[in-house]
Each structure stands twice: as structure tokens, then as C-alpha cells.
Amino acid sequence: MTTPRTIRFKLNGRSVSADIMPHETIVDMLTQRFDLKGARESCGQGLCGCCTVNIDGMAVSGCLSLAWFLDGKDVQTIEGVANGATLDPVQQAFIEAGAFQCGFCTPGFIMMVRQLLDLHPDPTEDQMRHFLTGNLCRCSAYPEIIDAVKIAVAKRAELAHLVA
Amino acid sequence: MDAVTASPNIGRSIPRLEANDKVTGRIEYIHHLRLPGMLYGKIFRSNVPHARIKSVDVSAAEAVEGVFQVVTIDDIRKVIPHPYYGPAFHDQPILADGKVRFAGEPVAVVLATDKRIAEQAAALIVAEYEDLPGVFDEVDAMTSQTLVHDELKPAATFPDLQHLKGRKGTNIALDYHLVRGDVEEGFAKADHVFEHVFRTQQVMHTPMEPFVSVADAQDGSVTLHTASQGPSFVRIEIARLLGLPENRVRVRVPHLGGGFGGKLYIKLEALVTALSMVARRPVKIALTMEEQFFMVTRHPCTFTIKSGVNKDGRIIARHCEVVWNGGAYADIGPRVTQKAGFTSAGPYDIENVLIDSYAVYTNRPPCGALRGFGAPQTAWAYECHTDMIAEALGLDKIEFRRMNILREGRPQASGTPMVDAAVEQAMDHTLDLMNWKLPFDRGSGKIRRGRGVAIGFKGITAPTTSVAIVNLYGDGSCALYIGTVDMGQGSDTVMAQIAAEVLNIDPAAIKIIHPDTDVTPYDMGTLGSRSTYHMGTAVRLAAEDAKAKIAALAAELGLPEGTNAPLAELLRRKYGMQAGNIIGTGSFIPDYQKPDTKTGQTIKGTPFWGVGASGAEVEVDTETGHFTITKLVNVADVGTAINPKMVLQQLSGAAIMQLGFTTTENMVFRDGQLTNGSLADYKIPNLLDMPREFINDYTQSRQKDGPFGAKGAGESTTIALSPAIGNAIADAIGLFLPDLPITPESIFRALQDANGTPLAGE
């Protein structure tokens, strides 16, 4: 077998290191070495979005990307988006809209909605649908997810207003 | 105003109890479970659909560094001498036993401490087979000389299957019949007789959390941590396999990442238990998405429906012959055959009915329950058939339905009366939401528009039992011990609302003790829309029992009747400190009369009726066959909605799932080999598939014997959706499509056929 390699990166704001195998995916590393459960492998082909994490500001499928590409990167997972017990506006919006049933795809959706709103703070409904089309929800909470995006837009605007 | 809707907890859309843990990603699924010393199992599967196994060479796999052991049926037989399981038939070997019966069947398992090592090693296993002819189509299987099983092995679980024991020389696992009146006489008297054949395709549940189970076997006991919808059944079946009493088998289930009927009865549990016994270590098997296609699926079905109709539009006779393709192992297919057979004549008042419903074995992946227990497949046939008859007789499609619809109090084909079944109301509400009476733009040129409506119903698995425990602690706080599995439908929240309503406490403050058979009492399973009605009633009874015990305690302490002294205060007075419990229990089994084995007649064949109506508007490009569903409406009778928002979510989610089964999802086989078993090729709905106008609602109704007037809601909108779309397409293009799924290709082929220029090939 190949030998492990040490990588150093930022995980949810903290500097960390890990001895990882070359074949190890980001999801495997996060679950097995850091006990983080939010990014989940479901389809294993980068088609469902359950494994979405954010690397240097870009949403990435954690089941397809190898962990050692994270060396020197800034990684954010669903575990890093809340401020302590205070939920992120997108998380709050998902609860208010009831935008999930079983919850398995939910962290991936929330990561992707955050990316959507970072790029398009006030998206049209078409933009929402297209941007989130790579995330699958078999419970089909899709109407409520669109509601959640709309609520999140308002919540973010309100926060921006407060900061300004 | 109804006193029920004025109550503090019923009819309130409180958020899910576990909402916070789901948005932070911290909720517990077995997907993430790791136990100390645990081994990962990777399944080696057959690549042929029907064959004798000549040899399985595991030596190269066993030589891989990090491999603990490679297990075949020979190893399993040492710990479980008769390693066959299943809910209806004990026909499924824990690993292939001398023969494989579908491509994808588990043949061996590699156990390793690292799942990647197990995966690599499994690829080194070599099996040699002697191919046997296969049978794949359900109609062929009825008469084929190719037999999937040499002998039928019904389980003892269902007394009505005993007569099949030992039957040989057939692929028919079960036949179900219903006779009402004299169907031949009806056809002879009828002015018109219509006969059509409809087919549905094989599809898969596709839960986002793939099947996963972990077993930790000790000497004389076993603990299972499993993503299961039926922990009580798993316990009973594992105890039977191991020859242990129930109390030596513990089955624990936290939240599920979706189930939809797939994670029912017994799936990976028998295998991981056997592996853990062989290895004497905890063992986990987690399927990949691709492997889920080989676990359990929905029955394809061929439905021949024949109706005798009078010239005024009265249906006087109907014969339904339904053949269900059960795949290689029966799973719960016999129940699907009975339950969906039972309602396959549709929600119509027909004097003479004959139903023949057959479960057959084929060399395909096994089929089981999937959100509707077969009702969606039968409604596809009877509701397209309804429009075809109306069209042929020049009758208005709605008035034709109205003339024949089963009204409240009338006996359904089995003789069971329709009670609290708002079929006509659901249809009328659908029509209102469709603006049916307004003029409709039928399109022009190559773009044609159409609209369709369909209605449907289903019976509920019976008789089944639920038991609940309410535990109030020394400080007055409350926990609810139930075997109902919250797989996303929101049962935790609804059950808390029911208990809270009786006990007059805040539902959000109640703790749900999730299924753990060491602690939670029996429940038949989270299936078939049964939990709100069955477990909801058990919870109501348990809470009432607790309430009576509190009143008795108050009386014992000499307090006046109706005292509002808090429970914590009562317990403190009784025990002199914060101590003690109030434990209320409730158990519920509905009234039921077993159907006559020959005629299927019974006066109480279902505890309640599931009812759904759907309407669709479509736009078809007649040059290419491409179509868009521009509007989709679904209405269900759910009785009282205990949590209206979650009910609407169930209706909407079930509808979108069935939309996938109607338009895009299809397991495609070539010579028994699945050709599209991954999400890359098998397309489930995404956000872009949602119709632009998408309305879901429920009728104002009440299930009188349900908890606070409620009944199940999880499947109702799967029933009538496909035929509503099929009828809308037919309305647009003037051609009925008998087969699901409806695709641009199937529409284009139908149009070309009608033009006299048929396309070649399938």
C-alpha cells in the first residue's frame, strides 16, 4: 500500500493537520479523521450534492475530490457555518420554511444556498432552480427549499443593512 | 367550529422537533456509526441473472493485507444452519446458496478493517457459473418452464399463505382472488365491453441514505443498529433465524435518511448478523447508491382490465387480471399482490367484479413495498381505462366518473363499506384547483395542450398492532417510547402533538425515545400510511392512561378532583423528594375481518381508506414528443391534519416522487442485466422537474375513529398522479399510452405509429 502523507489546512477557521492516504476523499477524511457528519456520501458520483463542502469560497463535491488537494486550503463545512448556538440565516430559513424531511441532503443544500447567495444576493427563481439543480432531495422538499432561499435572501439583506 | 380544530396542539404547524439537528448536520444516522473493533463488509455480487454456482475462488481476496476474512454461505451455515429469510416466504438465502437468481445477488462478503481494502479485495474474487435460462417478464413467468425456485417456502408469519407450502413447478408465489356478483353475466348484459392492457416499469426507492446496518453479535445475543422502518419485525425475524428469544435481540434505529417502503421487513440485517457471528466482531455494511438497485425495488406490473358498460355510462362488470413481477425473492410482494389487488377495480361502484392478482418470481432484483403498496400501478391502469371508455362512448370524463364513483357507505368490491373516504370531494376539489370549468387553451400548430384528472384509493395493511408508552418523570417532563421510525415524514412531531393534546403540555418539550427494542414496545412497522392512525391511537391511549394515573395519584394524596397541582408537586408529595414516574401504556389493533379465501369478501378489510385525486395540464411538442407539465394538482383525504404544514409536505413530496416514476425513472434491463443502475443514468426529479404551477391540498374531512380525526397521508398523492398525467397527454395528442414511463420517446413513437410510419426497435 502507498504511504500516508501529512496535509495542513484550515477547517472551519481552525488550523489542522491530518495524515491521509492518497485515495482518501474529502468526505472520508472529514468523517473518519475529524468526526464531522454533515458532508455525506450518497451517490458517490458528484451528482446529488449531499457531500457539498466549501473550499476557498467554492462549493465542491467532497465525495469526488481527494483530501490531499486540501493542503494549504481553507475548508468550511456545515459544522462551521453557525456562530456557536446561533444558526446561520440560511439554516434559520430552512427551519422556518420546513425545507427538509429526512434531513440527509440538508447540509449539502444549505452549503449550496450559501454559495448561491454569496454570488447572487438577490437571485431570481430561475437562478435558484438552476443553481441548486445539482442537489437532490428524494423526499422532494423542493417547493419548501425555494421558500427557504427567499427567506434567506431577506434575512441576509436585513443583516447587511444592520452591518451597514 | 369543530372543537378539535380549536385545540391547542391539533391542527398546528409546529416545526419538526429535530429541526435544529438536521440543519446543523449533527442528527444521528446509522450511516455514520462506527463501533470499536468494527469490520466493514463489502459484497461480491453475481454478474449473471440465473446460474448454478460452480465455484467461488476467494484466495486472492483473502491474501490482501488488511482483509480479515472472506465469507460465503458455507461459513454462514456454520452459525445459522438454515440461513433463509423473508417476511412472506423464507426464500432468500443470506448469501447465494448454490444458485444465483438475479444479476447483482450477493455471493460473498469481504470483511476488513478498512472499507477501501474490503472493496479492492472484493474485486479479486472469481466466481464460475453454469448459466441457466432466465425469465424476466412477469407474463412469461406465469407459464414459463424456467423456474426461479424449485419449491415455494411460505413463512409461518402469515397464516393465509400456508396452503402454498411445498408447492412446486410454478413461478406463481401467490394468487389472490376477489369475486363479487357474476362478471361473465355482467359482460353478457353490457352494451359495450372494453379491454385494455397496461404496464408499469421497475423503479427504485433511492433513499439518499443508502441501506446500512451494523451488527454486534455476542454469544447468545445480538445488537443491531440499522436504518430500518420495521425494528420489531427485524427482531422477530433475527430471533427466529438464531433460535433466540426476542429479548436476546436488540434492534436500535435512530433517524433514517429516507425509506419510502424500501427499508422495511428485513434487508441487510440477516447478513450483518451472520457476518458478526462468523467474525466475532461488530460488522457494518453500507451499500453504495449503485448497490441499492439490487436490494429492493417497485414491482413492474401488467394489468389487463376489462369492463362492461351500459350505454348510459354505468359500469356493470369489471375483470382485473394483475400480474406483479416480484423479482427473484418474494420480500413483501405477496402483500402487495393482495393489498393492491383488493382495490384494483378502482373507486367505482360496480355490481360484478372479478379480480385475479398474481405475484410471480422472475430473475430480476427483488421487488417490495414502495409508497403505495401497488396502488399507483393499479390506478395507472384503471384510471387511463376510465378515460378511454369515456372517450369511446363520447361521455364527459368527469360525469362518467361521477356516475360510477363509490360513495360514502356503499360497499367496495370486497364488501367493505366506504367509510370516511372523501373520494368525490377530492375529485371536486381537484377540479376547482384546476379551474376545470374555465375555457382551456388547447394550443395550436405543433404545440398541443391537454389536461386530465384521475382518482384513486387504497386499503391499509391489516390487522396490525402498535403499542406506546408515555413516561412522565419526577419533574413532570415527558418522554414517549414508540417504535415508529421517523424517516422524514415527521412522526416524532405528530406523535408528540397527540400526546401533548391529551396531557395538556408543550409538544416541543416532549422527548421521543427512538426505536430500541430493548426499551420501546412493539410496532408492526412504519409503512403503508399506518403510523398516524395506529401508533397515533396507541399514543393517545397511553397518554390517557397516564392522565388517569395522575388523577388517581391526586386522589390518593387527598387533593380535590380536577386539581391543577403540577405533576412534579404530586410526585414530590408522594415520594418526599423529586422521584418516581407516571407510566401510561396504550395498545391498538383495529377491527378486521379476514377476507374469504375464495371470494375475498369481508365486511372490514381495511381500517381506513387512503384517498387521492390528481389533475395535470400538459403541453406537447408533437414534432419531437417533448412535453412539459405546466400544472399539477393533488388532493388527498387525510382526515384531520394534525400538523398541516407537514401533511402538505408529505402530499407534495409523494407527488414529486411519483412524478419521477411517471416520467423519468425506469430500471432498464438487457438480458437480465441492469444497464442504468446509478444516479448518472437513472434520473430522479430535481428542482427543474417541478411543475411551474404545483398545488397540493387536502379535503375537509375527518376519520372518525382516528386520533383526533386523523389518518395516514404519506402515500395518498402517489395513487392518481400517473394516470392524471397520462390522461392529460392523451387529451393533448389524441392517443393513449399504455405503458409507464411516459417519455418524449414513447410519445414520439405513438405519434409515428398513428401516422402509419412506425419507428423500428424498442
Side-chain angles (χ1 to χ4, degrees):
Chain A
M1 293 293 282
T2 354
T3 47
R5 164 184 170 172
T6 303
I7 56 168
R8 291 185 168 75
F9 60 104
K10 264 199 164 165
L11 179 58
N12 295 326
R14 293 192 175 83
S15 297
V16 296
S17 70
D19 297 330
I20 54 138
M21 299 300 287
H23 62 263
E24 213 166 311
T25 64
I26 291 175
V27 173
D28 279 350
M29 181 196 69
L30 290 173
T31 48
Q32 297 189 12
R33 302 190 191 273
F34 293 94
D35 282 313
L36 297 180
K37 298 174 178 173
R40 297 150 186 165
E41 179 165 330
S42 176
C43 76
Q45 293 179 297
L47 297 166
C48 72
C50 287
C51 59
T52 307
V53 295
N54 190 296
I55 300 169
D56 286 349
M58 280 304 290
V60 165
S61 289
C63 77
L64 286 187
S65 313
L66 294 176
W68 74 4
F69 294 131
L70 294 186
D71 198 24
K73 299 284 190 342
D74 189 350
V75 180
Q76 190 187 41
T77 69
I78 190 72
E79 288 85 357
V81 303
N83 183 1
T86 308
L87 297 178
D88 178 79
V90 179
Q91 291 175 311
Q92 290 170 22
F94 267 64
I95 293 179
E96 281 175 35
F100 48 86
Q101 292 189 26
C102 81
F104 202 78
C105 68
T106 310
F109 262 104
I110 289 172
M111 296 306 285
M112 206 61 190
V113 170
R114 282 168 50 86
Q115 170 102 67
L116 165 68
L117 300 186
D118 288 348
L119 297 172
H120 310 282
D122 192 13
T124 64
E125 194 166 324
D126 266 347
Q127 274 178 316
M128 297 175 196
R129 287 183 180 225
H130 279 97
F131 202 92
L132 299 172
T133 199
N135 289 71
L136 297 176
C137 171
R138 188 51 154 173
C139 305
S140 303
Y142 295 128
E144 296 84 359
I145 289 168
I146 295 296
D147 293 344
V149 178
K150 291 173 183 168
I151 294 170
V153 168
K155 282 185 185 290
R156 279 209 175 186
E158 205 176 304
L159 278 179
H161 183 72
L162 288 177
V163 173
Chain B
M1 192 178 172
D2 192 334
V4 166
T5 49
S7 69
N9 293 300
I10 305 301
R12 261 184 71 206
S13 297
I14 65 165
R16 287 165 192 277
L17 303 186
E18 76 288 3
N20 196 84
D21 287 344
K22 282 187 174 166
V23 300
T24 56
R26 290 189 303 194
I27 193 115
E28 184 191 0
Y29 303 107
I30 295 303
H31 182 80
H32 292 113
L33 181 68
R34 277 184 287 161
L35 297 178
M38 187 178 86
L39 300 170
Y40 293 88
K42 182 69 191 177
I43 299 172
F44 167 77
R45 295 172 184 277
S46 75
N47 57 3
V48 291
H50 197 198
R52 274 194 197 87
I53 300 171
K54 286 162 67 181
S55 64
V56 182
D57 181 357
V58 302
S59 54
E62 267 181 336
V64 174
E65 187 182 316
V67 167
F68 182 87
Q69 190 175 352
V70 182
V71 178
T72 67
I73 191 71
D74 299 331
D75 305 295
I76 286 176
R77 218 184 277 283
K78 287 174 199 155
V79 292
I80 302 176
H82 189 71
Y84 283 78
Y85 67 94
F89 288 71
H90 295 153
D91 59 0
Q92 191 154 5
I94 291 177
L95 286 172
D97 186 7
K99 234 180 161 189
V100 293
R101 296 185 176 86
F102 69 97
E105 179 162 4
V107 173
V109 176
V110 177
L111 296 174
T113 47
D114 181 305
K115 63 176 181 169
R116 302 286 172 202
I117 291 174
E119 237 174 73
Q120 284 172 11
L124 301 176
I125 296 175
V126 180
E128 280 191 73
Y129 301 102
E130 179 194 331
D131 285 329
L132 296 167
V135 58
F136 309 109
D137 178 87
E138 60 273 14
V139 177
D140 292 347
M142 290 283 287
T143 53
S144 174
Q145 296 302 305
T146 298
L147 298 177
V148 181
H149 293 270
D150 300 328
E151 186 182 333
L152 302 186
K153 296 174 186 165
T157 328
F158 301 129
D160 52 330
L161 301 180
Q162 283 305 315
H163 66 291
L164 296 168
K165 200 172 170 71
R167 194 176 284 190
K168 291 180 181 180
T170 179
N171 287 317
I172 301 174
L174 177 108
D175 53 316
Y176 163 84
H177 306 282
L178 183 149
V179 185
R180 181 173 191 77
D182 184 333
V183 79
E184 286 310 325
E185 199 183 300
F187 288 138
K189 279 190 192 159
D191 296 318
H192 307 275
V193 175
F194 297 91
E195 183 172 329
H196 302 114
V197 182
F198 296 90
R199 298 199 309 175
T200 63
Q201 82 284 28
Q202 195 164 7
V203 295
M204 198 267 278
H205 309 70
T206 330
M208 300 312 288
E209 178 195 30
F211 283 83
V212 53
S213 299
V214 179
D216 188 1
Q218 308 290 331
D219 290 322
S221 73
V222 60
T223 300
L224 277 150
H225 310 263
T226 179
S228 167
Q229 293 176 235
S232 296
F233 183 85
V234 170
R235 170 154 83 166
I236 289 169
E237 185 66 347
I238 294 292
R240 180 191 67 81
L241 276 169
L242 304 189
L244 291 175
E246 276 193 59
N247 68 359
R248 300 296 166 199
V249 179
R250 177 185 176 201
V251 182
R252 196 181 71 78
V253 182
H255 285 273
L256 255 60
F260 316 111
K263 295 173 178 170
L264 272 174
Y265 305 105
I266 176 161
K267 293 295 183 303
L268 291 171
E269 291 88 357
L271 178 57
V272 288
T273 298
L275 294 170
S276 178
M277 291 171 77
V278 168
R280 301 183 71 79
R281 298 261 292 260
V283 172
K284 178 176 188 173
I285 291 191
L287 296 191
T288 63
M289 183 60 77
E290 289 92 329
E291 286 179 290
Q292 293 206 93
F293 289 91
F294 303 125
M295 190 82 240
V296 66
T297 64
R298 178 186 266 184
H299 288 75
C301 128
T302 299
F303 187 159
T304 308
I305 183 166
K306 182 177 174 184
S307 297
V309 187
N310 277 347
K311 54 179 177 287
D312 63 353
R314 275 294 299 178
I315 307 170
I316 59 166
R318 175 162 287 178
H319 180 201
C320 304
E321 190 194 69
V322 200
V323 185
W324 304 88
N325 190 327
Y329 298 104
D331 196 85
I332 200 62
R335 269 282 168 280
V336 173
T337 305
Q338 291 180 339
K339 274 295 141 197
F342 169 57
T343 53
S344 61
Y348 297 107
D349 201 336
I350 306 173
E351 210 182 313
N352 304 291
V353 177
L354 174 62
I355 294 169
D356 300 306
S357 182
Y358 301 94
V360 298
Y361 286 115
T362 63
N363 295 111
R364 291 201 193 205
C367 307
L370 200 176
R371 212 168 193 169
F373 254 80
Q377 293 100 307
T378 59
W380 165 247
Y382 64 68
E383 277 303 82
C384 291
H385 182 64
T386 303
D387 264 28
M388 291 166 86
I389 295 172
E391 181 86 28
L393 296 180
L395 297 169
D396 178 88
K397 288 162 186 159
I398 304 304
E399 291 315 311
F400 178 50
R401 284 184 171 81
R402 212 181 287 289
M403 190 184 303
N404 291 288
I405 210 162
L406 261 175
R407 294 202 163 75
E408 187 75 8
R410 289 289 301 159
Q412 183 262 357
S414 68
T416 298
M418 299 296 284
V419 175
D420 297 336
V423 184
E424 192 170 14
Q425 295 92 313
M427 180 174 82
D428 283 334
H429 193 39
T430 300
L431 294 170
D432 285 345
L433 294 169
M434 293 286 290
N435 300 317
W436 197 259
K437 289 197 172 129
L438 297 184
F440 181 68
D441 171 12
R442 309 202 63 86
S444 59
K446 63 170 190 163
I447 303 296
R448 294 299 164 91
R449 305 185 76 249
R451 57 183 180 168
V453 164
I455 57 178
F457 73 149
K458 78 180 288 272
I460 305 301
T461 301
T464 67
T465 299
S466 290
V467 185
I469 296 172
V470 165
N471 191 348
L472 292 149
Y473 302 117
D475 63 355
S477 64
C478 175
L480 194 51
Y481 295 59
I482 51 173
T484 298
V485 176
D486 199 328
M487 50 191 175
Q489 82 279 35
S491 52
D492 281 9
T493 310
V494 164
M495 297 305 162
Q497 285 180 266
I498 291 170
E501 180 68 12
V502 175
L503 296 166
N504 194 23
I505 55 178
D506 174 12
I510 293 177
K511 173 168 182 168
I512 305 293
I513 308 296
H514 286 132
D516 176 343
T517 57
D518 267 9
V519 179
T520 50
Y522 177 85
D523 176 57
M524 186 270 185
T526 304
L527 62 93
S529 300
R530 66 177 290 281
S531 299
T532 297
Y533 180 89
H534 293 78
M535 184 58 85
T537 300
V539 166
R540 180 178 63 76
L541 294 171
E544 282 170 0
D545 185 39
K547 199 174 170 181
K549 284 175 174 158
I550 296 170
L553 175 61
E556 181 192 323
L557 295 170
L559 292 164
E561 203 175 315
T563 174
N564 60 359
L567 175 62
E569 177 55 30
L570 299 181
L571 288 169
R572 195 172 291 113
R573 282 205 206 177
K574 162 104 176 159
Y575 297 109
M577 56 184 287
Q578 183 173 325
N581 299 75
I582 292 285
I583 295 178
T585 61
S587 176
F588 178 65
I589 180 168
D591 290 341
Y592 174 72
Q593 190 198 60
K594 192 172 165 260
D596 182 272
T597 38
K598 291 207 171 62
T599 65
Q601 294 295 308
T602 164
I603 52 158
K604 187 71 177 164
T606 176
F608 65 89
W609 297 98
V611 171
S614 298
E617 284 183 16
V618 299
E619 206 166 272
V620 184
D621 182 331
T622 52
E623 250 174 39
T624 63
H626 277 275
F627 65 101
T628 311
I629 296 160
T630 50
K631 181 170 181 172
L632 188 58
V633 171
N634 302 286
V635 176
D637 170 8
V638 302
T640 304
I642 287 176
N643 186 314
K645 190 176 175 68
M646 290 202 313
V647 164
L648 288 173
Q649 240 190 341
Q650 281 300 299
L651 303 187
S652 150
I656 297 174
M657 188 173 212
Q658 186 65 28
L659 179 66
F661 298 150
T662 307
T663 58
T664 61
E665 298 181 43
N666 185 12
M667 290 171 65
V668 178
F669 290 86
R670 291 279 179 275
D671 303 324
Q673 301 280 354
L674 180 65
T675 63
N676 63 337
S678 86
L679 287 196
D681 298 307
Y682 179 92
K683 190 187 170 311
I684 66 172
N686 66 26
L687 262 164
L688 293 177
D689 297 308
M690 270 187 37
R692 281 299 158 148
E693 220 181 329
F694 181 45
I695 308 169
N696 300 283
D697 204 356
Y698 46 82
T699 55
Q700 293 301 313
S701 34
R702 191 171 159 78
Q703 178 68 34
K704 286 188 283 295
D705 57 0
F708 304 104
K711 63 176 162 186
E715 303 167 306
S716 309
T717 54
T718 64
I719 306 171
L721 185 137
S722 303
I725 293 172
N727 288 340
I729 298 274
D731 187 48
I733 65 172
L735 298 169
F736 283 93
L737 303 173
D739 298 348
L740 284 179
I742 302 165
T743 62
E745 183 182 335
S746 70
I747 292 173
F748 186 66
R749 282 182 181 279
L751 288 165
Q752 293 296 108
D753 284 350
N755 289 341
T757 51
L759 297 177
E762 256 180 66

PDB file of all heavy atoms in Angstrom, chain B residues 552-567:
ATOM      1  N   ALA B 552     -55.540   9.590  39.709  1.00  0.00           N
ATOM      2  CA  ALA B 552     -55.615   8.641  40.831  1.00  0.00           C
ATOM      3  C   ALA B 552     -54.614   9.011  41.928  1.00  0.00           C
ATOM      4  O   ALA B 552     -54.917   8.906  43.124  1.00  0.00           O
ATOM      5  CB  ALA B 552     -55.350   7.220  40.330  1.00  0.00           C
ATOM      6  N   LEU B 553     -53.443   9.459  41.505  1.00  0.00           N
ATOM      7  CA  LEU B 553     -52.422   9.877  42.471  1.00  0.00           C
ATOM      8  C   LEU B 553     -52.916  11.082  43.270  1.00  0.00           C
ATOM      9  O   LEU B 553     -52.762  11.129  44.497  1.00  0.00           O
ATOM     10  CB  LEU B 553     -51.108  10.196  41.736  1.00  0.00           C
ATOM     11  CG  LEU B 553     -49.965  10.774  42.581  1.00  0.00           C
ATOM     12  CD1 LEU B 553     -49.547   9.795  43.679  1.00  0.00           C
ATOM     13  CD2 LEU B 553     -48.758  11.100  41.697  1.00  0.00           C
ATOM     14  N   ALA B 554     -53.520  12.021  42.571  1.00  0.00           N
ATOM     15  CA  ALA B 554     -54.040  13.221  43.238  1.00  0.00           C
ATOM     16  C   ALA B 554     -55.090  12.820  44.268  1.00  0.00           C
ATOM     17  O   ALA B 554     -55.100  13.331  45.403  1.00  0.00           O
ATOM     18  CB  ALA B 554     -54.624  14.185  42.201  1.00  0.00           C
ATOM     19  N   ALA B 555     -55.945  11.882  43.886  1.00  0.00           N
ATOM     20  CA  ALA B 555     -56.993  11.422  44.800  1.00  0.00           C
ATOM     21  C   ALA B 555     -56.373  10.741  46.017  1.00  0.00           C
ATOM     22  O   ALA B 555     -56.764  10.985  47.163  1.00  0.00           O
ATOM     23  CB  ALA B 555     -57.941  10.479  44.074  1.00  0.00           C
ATOM     24  N   GLU B 556     -55.364   9.915  45.768  1.00  0.00           N
ATOM     25  CA  GLU B 556     -54.661   9.208  46.843  1.00  0.00           C
ATOM     26  C   GLU B 556     -54.051  10.200  47.834  1.00  0.00           C
ATOM     27  O   GLU B 556     -54.002   9.953  49.036  1.00  0.00           O
ATOM     28  CB  GLU B 556     -53.567   8.339  46.204  1.00  0.00           C
ATOM     29  CG  GLU B 556     -52.732   7.508  47.161  1.00  0.00           C
ATOM     30  CD  GLU B 556     -51.488   6.921  46.457  1.00  0.00           C
ATOM     31  OE1 GLU B 556     -51.604   6.535  45.274  1.00  0.00           O
ATOM     32  OE2 GLU B 556     -50.428   6.894  47.099  1.00  0.00           O
ATOM     33  N   LEU B 557     -53.609  11.345  47.299  1.00  0.00           N
ATOM     34  CA  LEU B 557     -52.979  12.359  48.144  1.00  0.00           C
ATOM     35  C   LEU B 557     -54.026  13.266  48.802  1.00  0.00           C
ATOM     36  O   LEU B 557     -53.682  14.220  49.486  1.00  0.00           O
ATOM     37  CB  LEU B 557     -52.002  13.201  47.328  1.00  0.00           C
ATOM     38  CG  LEU B 557     -50.782  12.444  46.773  1.00  0.00           C
ATOM     39  CD1 LEU B 557     -50.018  13.306  45.780  1.00  0.00           C
ATOM     40  CD2 LEU B 557     -49.861  12.003  47.909  1.00  0.00           C
ATOM     41  N   GLY B 558     -55.295  12.978  48.549  1.00  0.00           N
ATOM     42  CA  GLY B 558     -56.370  13.722  49.194  1.00  0.00           C
ATOM     43  C   GLY B 558     -56.671  15.062  48.561  1.00  0.00           C
ATOM     44  O   GLY B 558     -57.284  15.933  49.181  1.00  0.00           O
ATOM     45  N   LEU B 559     -56.209  15.247  47.314  1.00  0.00           N
ATOM     46  CA  LEU B 559     -56.475  16.524  46.645  1.00  0.00           C
ATOM     47  C   LEU B 559     -57.849  16.480  45.984  1.00  0.00           C
ATOM     48  O   LEU B 559     -58.332  15.414  45.608  1.00  0.00           O
ATOM     49  CB  LEU B 559     -55.392  16.790  45.596  1.00  0.00           C
ATOM     50  CG  LEU B 559     -54.011  17.060  46.202  1.00  0.00           C
ATOM     51  CD1 LEU B 559     -52.930  16.927  45.156  1.00  0.00           C
ATOM     52  CD2 LEU B 559     -53.980  18.443  46.845  1.00  0.00           C
ATOM     53  N   PRO B 560     -58.489  17.615  45.842  1.00  0.00           N
ATOM     54  CA  PRO B 560     -59.820  17.638  45.230  1.00  0.00           C
ATOM     55  C   PRO B 560     -59.764  17.233  43.756  1.00  0.00           C
ATOM     56  O   PRO B 560     -58.747  17.458  43.092  1.00  0.00           O
ATOM     57  CB  PRO B 560     -60.267  19.097  45.380  1.00  0.00           C
ATOM     58  CG  PRO B 560     -59.009  19.886  45.580  1.00  0.00           C
ATOM     59  CD  PRO B 560     -58.039  18.970  46.249  1.00  0.00           C
ATOM     60  N   GLU B 561     -60.844  16.649  43.287  1.00  0.00           N
ATOM     61  CA  GLU B 561     -60.912  16.224  41.888  1.00  0.00           C
ATOM     62  C   GLU B 561     -60.702  17.434  40.971  1.00  0.00           C
ATOM     63  O   GLU B 561     -61.214  18.520  41.246  1.00  0.00           O
ATOM     64  CB  GLU B 561     -62.285  15.593  41.618  1.00  0.00           C
ATOM     65  CG  GLU B 561     -62.274  14.644  40.429  1.00  0.00           C
ATOM     66  CD  GLU B 561     -63.615  13.946  40.263  1.00  0.00           C
ATOM     67  OE1 GLU B 561     -64.177  13.473  41.276  1.00  0.00           O
ATOM     68  OE2 GLU B 561     -64.082  13.884  39.117  1.00  0.00           O
ATOM     69  N   GLY B 562     -59.947  17.260  39.920  1.00  0.00           N
ATOM     70  CA  GLY B 562     -59.709  18.363  38.980  1.00  0.00           C
ATOM     71  C   GLY B 562     -58.661  19.337  39.481  1.00  0.00           C
ATOM     72  O   GLY B 562     -58.528  20.437  38.964  1.00  0.00           O
ATOM     73  N   THR B 563     -57.896  18.942  40.451  1.00  0.00           N
ATOM     74  CA  THR B 563     -56.838  19.832  40.976  1.00  0.00           C
ATOM     75  C   THR B 563     -55.844  20.189  39.871  1.00  0.00           C
ATOM     76  O   THR B 563     -55.577  19.379  38.986  1.00  0.00           O
ATOM     77  CB  THR B 563     -56.082  19.155  42.139  1.00  0.00           C
ATOM     78  OG1 THR B 563     -54.984  20.009  42.512  1.00  0.00           O
ATOM     79  CG2 THR B 563     -55.479  17.824  41.712  1.00  0.00           C
ATOM     80  N   ASN B 564     -55.334  21.397  39.936  1.00  0.00           N
ATOM     81  CA  ASN B 564     -54.350  21.765  38.917  1.00  0.00           C
ATOM     82  C   ASN B 564     -52.934  21.725  39.485  1.00  0.00           C
ATOM     83  O   ASN B 564     -52.015  22.315  38.938  1.00  0.00           O
ATOM     84  CB  ASN B 564     -54.672  23.133  38.300  1.00  0.00           C
ATOM     85  CG  ASN B 564     -54.684  24.236  39.340  1.00  0.00           C
ATOM     86  OD1 ASN B 564     -54.466  23.953  40.538  1.00  0.00           O
ATOM     87  ND2 ASN B 564     -54.926  25.456  38.915  1.00  0.00           N
ATOM     88  N   ALA B 565     -52.774  21.013  40.588  1.00  0.00           N
ATOM     89  CA  ALA B 565     -51.423  20.871  41.142  1.00  0.00           C
ATOM     90  C   ALA B 565     -50.533  20.179  40.113  1.00  0.00           C
ATOM     91  O   ALA B 565     -50.931  19.180  39.532  1.00  0.00           O
ATOM     92  CB  ALA B 565     -51.472  20.032  42.417  1.00  0.00           C
ATOM     93  N   PRO B 566     -49.344  20.734  39.848  1.00  0.00           N
ATOM     94  CA  PRO B 566     -48.479  20.119  38.825  1.00  0.00           C
ATOM     95  C   PRO B 566     -48.040  18.711  39.228  1.00  0.00           C
ATOM     96  O   PRO B 566     -47.942  18.409  40.426  1.00  0.00           O
ATOM     97  CB  PRO B 566     -47.272  21.059  38.743  1.00  0.00           C
ATOM     98  CG  PRO B 566     -47.460  22.129  39.748  1.00  0.00           C
ATOM     99  CD  PRO B 566     -48.745  21.915  40.478  1.00  0.00           C
ATOM    100  N   LEU B 567     -47.773  17.888  38.233  1.00  0.00           N
ATOM    101  CA  LEU B 567     -47.382  16.507  38.486  1.00  0.00           C
ATOM    102  C   LEU B 567     -46.132  16.433  39.365  1.00  0.00           C
ATOM    103  O   LEU B 567     -46.040  15.589  40.266  1.00  0.00           O
ATOM    104  CB  LEU B 567     -47.141  15.779  37.158  1.00  0.00           C
ATOM    105  CG  LEU B 567     -46.599  14.355  37.297  1.00  0.00           C
ATOM    106  CD1 LEU B 567     -47.588  13.462  38.046  1.00  0.00           C
ATOM    107  CD2 LEU B 567     -46.287  13.769  35.931  1.00  0.00           C
TER     108      LEU B 567
END
